[in-house]
């Protein structure tokens, strides 16, 4: 039995924090004793600052008392829905949803950050971004060697996040310059043809690590990575009317640049459209991408093979951001199909109440073109899937909700974190040695869902503030997210009193 099906439903009666089940009856003495014991445990946990019974604090929020109310999605009419009885899970999804009105209580408050710590982080970020070796080195050339796609998106995204954190328009101007440069380095602007002999709206690479015989090819993941800062910029500008008329050095206003970026991203998405597939699993629609059927020189990928999970997630987060920027339902549906694909592929570990997943999808959605891969995803690529899942939950776009976020934070706390600040496993199952701390930048989005995760990541990335250079561009992004609350669009961290 595929245990990931449990991700869609929760079973059994709700459990209360003191161990009772709904419907239990106690005598007055027993009730009083249990109340005293519960109060004592609560006081000890509060004083010691520990987590009761080894669980994350968010895992014991009151919402856990009714887990059926934790899974909900947003319908095409914009209303919030939840799953009804688990017994209805084999019926059409539309018949097992009912409209409810619920308070928006998914996330916990971010822990406070001292004014001194915030100042140190901002000073470090400004020092790094002022150095051309950090800020401009990756946009000096097109993506032939793959360096542009593997580094520049985090730089551009961090600049937009810093604008959200500080309100300083200088960051947004610099982000616009970076996004515009990314666009101008696309093959159809540079005139560089790919393997087909045509210059198409992708950023092709000839790096022998990715392609054989030096044949240029534009990978799905790299298209998504390099398009995302443009979509993020467009959403930021469109949701901040006060900056829309501000002119940019290119001669266009920021609003005009945002509109241009959205039109150009659509060309890239259309390029990959022939490789998009839809299917159903347990009567629920899913979607995923495969590699081009007419290209046989991608390293490790057969023509028509299913793409790696981080590629699927990267397209998912791009489509979700495009929906937020435009409101087009087509983007939302496609993002939801990709989210469902990812959710069904997650492996739920009941003992740890956490998730594991592979670099490659493990379920053969596409017959004869998928092989099983046992290796768990590595930290740097897993961060892209974490970003996608968290974005869907944070904006209440469906598929992922508070229950999935709790399990995802447990993946961080129980699989990745090794009990000491700065020491993390390299894979999401807790294996394969020690991870590079710089790869944690995307996991800062989980700060929103767990105070414990926030405390660990805050202290870990704060240690990098004294470095002369960031150890990776993900440190730039992680630092910006810490300053912005968690993701560049939530509240700025509260100052400690």
């Amino acid at each position: 039995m595929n245990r990931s099906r449990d991700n869609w439903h929760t079973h059994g009666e709700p459990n209360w924090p003191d161990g009772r089940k709904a419907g239990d009856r106690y005598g007055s003495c027993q009730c009083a004793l249990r109340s005293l014991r519960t109060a004592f445990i609560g006081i000890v946990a509060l004083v010691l600052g520990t987590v009761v019974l080894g669980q994350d604090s968010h895992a014991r929020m009151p919402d856990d008392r009714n887990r059926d109310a934790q899974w909900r999605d947003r319908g095409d009419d914009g209303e919030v829905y939840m799953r009804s009885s688990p017994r209805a899970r084999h019926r059409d999804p539309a018949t097992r949803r009912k409209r409810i009105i619920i308070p928006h209580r998914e996330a916990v408050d971010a822990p406070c950050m001292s004014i001194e710590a915030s100042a140190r982080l901002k000073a470090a970020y400004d020092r790094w971004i002022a150095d051309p070796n950090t800020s401009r080195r990756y946009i000096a050339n097109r993506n032939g060697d793959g360096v542009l796609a593997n580094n520049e998106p985090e730089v551009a995204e961090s600049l937009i996040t810093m604008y959200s954190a500080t309100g300083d328009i200088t960051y947004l101007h610099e982000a616009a310059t970076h996004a515009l440069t990314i666009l101008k380095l696309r093959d159809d602007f540079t005139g560089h043809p790919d393997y087909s002999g045509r210059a198409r709206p992708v950023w092709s690479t000839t790096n022998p690590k990715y392609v054989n015989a030096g044949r240029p090819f534009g990978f799905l993941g790299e298209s998504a990575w390099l398009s995302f800062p443009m979509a993020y910029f467009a959403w930021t500008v469109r949701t901040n009317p006060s900056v829309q008329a501000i002119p940019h050095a290119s001669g266009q206003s920021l609003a005009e640049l945002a509109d241009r970026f959205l039109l150009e991203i659509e060309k890239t998405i259309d390029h990959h459209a022939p490789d998009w597939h839809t299917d159903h699993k347990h009567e629920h629609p899913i979607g995923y991408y495969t590699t081009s059927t007419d290209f046989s020189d991608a390293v490790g990928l057969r023509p028509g093979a299913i793409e790696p999970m981080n590629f699927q997630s990267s397209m998912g987060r791009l489509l979700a951001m495009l929906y937020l920027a435009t409101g087009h339902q087509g983007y939302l549906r496609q993002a939801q199909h990709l989210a469902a694909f990812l959710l069904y592929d997650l492996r739920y570990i009941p003992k740890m109440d956490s998730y594991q997943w592979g670099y490659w999808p493990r379920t053969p959605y596409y017959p004869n073109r998928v092989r099983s891969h046992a290796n768990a995803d590595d930290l740097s690529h897993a961060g892209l899937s974490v970003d996608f899942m968290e974005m869907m939950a944070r904006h209440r776009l469906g598929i992922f909700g508070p229950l999935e976020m709790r399990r995802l934070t447990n993946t961080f706390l129980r699989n990745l974190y090794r009990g000491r600040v700065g020491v993390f496993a390299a894979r999401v199952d807790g294996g394969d040695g020690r991870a590079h701390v710089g790869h944690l930048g995307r996991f800062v989005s989980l700060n929103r869902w767990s105070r414990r995760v926030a405390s660990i990541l805050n202290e870990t990335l704060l240690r990098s503030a004294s470095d002369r250079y960031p150890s990776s561009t993900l440190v730039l992004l992680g630092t910006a997210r810490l300053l912005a609350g968690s993701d560049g669009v939530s509240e700025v961290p509260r100052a400690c009193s």
Side-chain angles (χ1 to χ4, degrees):
M1 182 180 74
N2 183 1
R3 302 193 65 90
S4 63
R5 289 177 59 188
D6 292 341
N7 302 337
W8 289 95
H9 302 279
T10 54
H11 304 279
E13 296 178 325
N15 293 324
W16 299 86
D18 61 2
R20 288 180 291 158
K21 291 186 176 181
D24 285 353
R25 297 291 184 264
Y26 297 90
S28 58
C29 293
Q30 291 174 312
C31 187
L33 288 172
R34 288 180 182 276
S35 298
L36 288 172
R37 185 181 64 183
T38 302
F40 176 77
I41 292 175
I43 293 171
V44 171
L46 181 63
V47 172
L48 297 181
T50 59
V51 179
V52 179
L53 300 179
Q55 295 187 13
D56 177 72
S57 60
H58 179 56
R60 301 188 64 81
M61 290 177 65
D63 284 351
D64 280 357
R65 298 179 182 179
N66 186 353
R67 295 187 177 185
D68 283 341
Q70 289 188 310
W71 198 102
R72 50 195 180 270
D73 60 14
R74 185 179 292 279
D76 291 343
D77 58 357
E79 292 291 332
V80 178
Y81 294 84
M82 81 168 190
R83 294 289 183 191
S84 57
S85 170
R87 290 173 293 185
R89 62 179 166 175
H90 296 298
R91 299 201 300 270
D92 183 85
T95 67
R96 48 186 160 127
R97 300 189 301 182
K98 60 182 179 181
R99 185 175 301 184
I100 59 171
I101 299 175
I102 53 175
H104 187 64
R105 297 183 60 189
E106 290 91 340
V108 300
D109 292 331
C112 65
M113 180 182 294
S114 69
I115 296 175
E116 179 186 1
S118 296
R120 282 184 59 199
L121 284 172
K122 186 177 183 301
Y125 182 91
D126 290 341
R127 183 176 71 252
W128 294 331
I129 209 69
D131 188 342
N133 287 325
T134 299
S135 61
R136 296 300 181 100
R137 63 182 295 189
Y138 305 114
I139 54 176
N141 298 290
R142 55 182 297 273
N143 193 46
D145 54 5
V147 171
L148 177 72
N150 283 283
N151 294 278
E152 175 56 26
E154 289 79 16
V155 178
E157 187 179 343
S158 74
L159 285 164
I160 304 169
T161 304
M162 284 298 291
Y163 164 73
S164 298
T166 65
D168 187 343
I169 196 65
T170 305
Y171 293 115
L172 196 59
H173 272 290
E174 185 67 12
T177 300
H178 277 251
L180 191 58
T181 305
I182 290 173
L183 178 61
K184 291 180 177 179
L185 291 174
R186 202 171 66 182
D187 288 1
D188 54 341
F189 283 90
T190 63
H192 282 81
D194 63 6
Y195 69 97
S196 68
R198 292 173 289 168
R200 300 195 279 193
V202 294
W203 294 263
S204 60
T205 179
T206 56
N207 190 325
K209 182 179 177 180
Y210 310 121
V211 297
N212 296 316
R215 299 185 67 197
F217 181 69
F219 285 92
L220 172 77
E222 297 188 343
S223 291
W225 302 339
L226 288 163
S227 296
F228 185 82
M230 291 187 276
Y232 186 18
F233 175 87
W235 178 57
T236 302
V237 170
R238 287 189 165 195
T239 53
N240 288 275
S242 62
V243 305
Q244 293 173 2
I246 295 177
H248 181 256
S250 63
Q252 296 176 288
S253 69
L254 296 185
E256 289 171 336
L257 277 177
D259 293 343
R260 180 184 179 186
F261 290 155
L262 292 173
L263 289 173
E264 294 296 341
I265 294 171
E266 184 66 29
K267 296 177 183 178
T268 299
I269 291 177
D270 288 344
H271 169 77
H272 292 285
D275 304 316
W276 169 251
H277 305 272
T278 57
D279 203 342
H280 285 77
K281 188 171 179 65
H282 304 305
E283 300 182 359
H284 194 282
I286 61 171
Y288 53 91
Y289 282 93
T290 58
T291 58
S292 300
T293 56
D294 61 346
F295 185 73
S296 58
D297 286 307
V299 175
L301 285 173
R302 300 185 303 277
I306 201 165
E307 296 278 17
M309 190 59 77
N310 75 89
F311 280 18
Q312 313 282 357
S313 296
S314 297
M315 279 300 293
R317 65 194 287 266
L318 172 62
L319 291 161
M321 185 57 74
L322 288 172
Y323 167 70
L324 294 173
T326 66
H328 293 168
Q329 290 293 319
Y331 291 138
L332 175 60
R333 283 192 293 270
Q334 196 171 352
Q336 288 174 335
H337 290 175
L338 280 163
F341 172 82
L342 172 58
L343 180 59
Y344 274 123
D345 207 73
L346 297 176
R347 181 186 176 195
Y348 176 55
I349 310 299
K351 183 170 67 173
M352 307 291 287
D353 192 29
S354 66
Y355 287 133
Q356 295 179 14
W357 63 94
Y359 179 88
W360 299 93
R362 61 188 174 89
T363 306
Y365 298 102
Y366 209 56
N368 302 321
R369 296 187 179 182
V370 182
R371 56 186 176 181
S372 177
H373 294 266
N375 287 343
D377 207 356
D378 60 275
L379 201 62
S380 61
H381 293 104
L384 292 161
S385 294
V386 169
D387 253 8
F388 178 36
M389 291 184 271
E390 198 280 330
M391 180 183 292
M392 295 295 288
R394 175 181 9 118
H395 293 288
R396 303 172 73 179
L397 301 181
I399 310 302
F400 290 97
L403 175 62
E404 288 75 28
M405 289 300 99
R406 190 192 71 203
R407 292 172 176 174
L408 198 58
T409 58
N410 284 340
T411 298
F412 179 89
L413 293 170
R414 301 173 183 177
N415 297 2
L416 294 174
Y417 182 52
R418 292 285 178 83
R420 288 188 295 147
V421 173
V423 182
F424 301 88
R427 296 188 181 273
V428 294
D429 64 350
D432 203 20
R434 185 169 173 172
H436 189 292
V437 172
H439 294 159
L440 294 168
R442 294 197 179 279
F443 286 81
V444 177
S445 60
L446 295 180
N447 280 14
R448 183 179 177 85
W449 301 92
S450 168
R451 293 186 181 90
R452 178 63 174 151
V453 170
S455 176
I456 293 169
L457 286 176
N458 288 359
E459 187 173 351
T460 298
L461 290 178
L462 191 58
R463 292 184 177 186
S464 301
S466 59
D467 295 345
R468 182 177 180 182
Y469 301 107
S471 57
S472 83
T473 53
L474 281 169
V475 172
L476 283 174
L477 180 58
T479 300
R481 286 183 172 184
L482 285 180
L483 288 166
S486 66
D487 47 47
V489 294
S490 62
E491 70 283 351
V492 174
R494 297 173 291 110
C496 296
S497 56

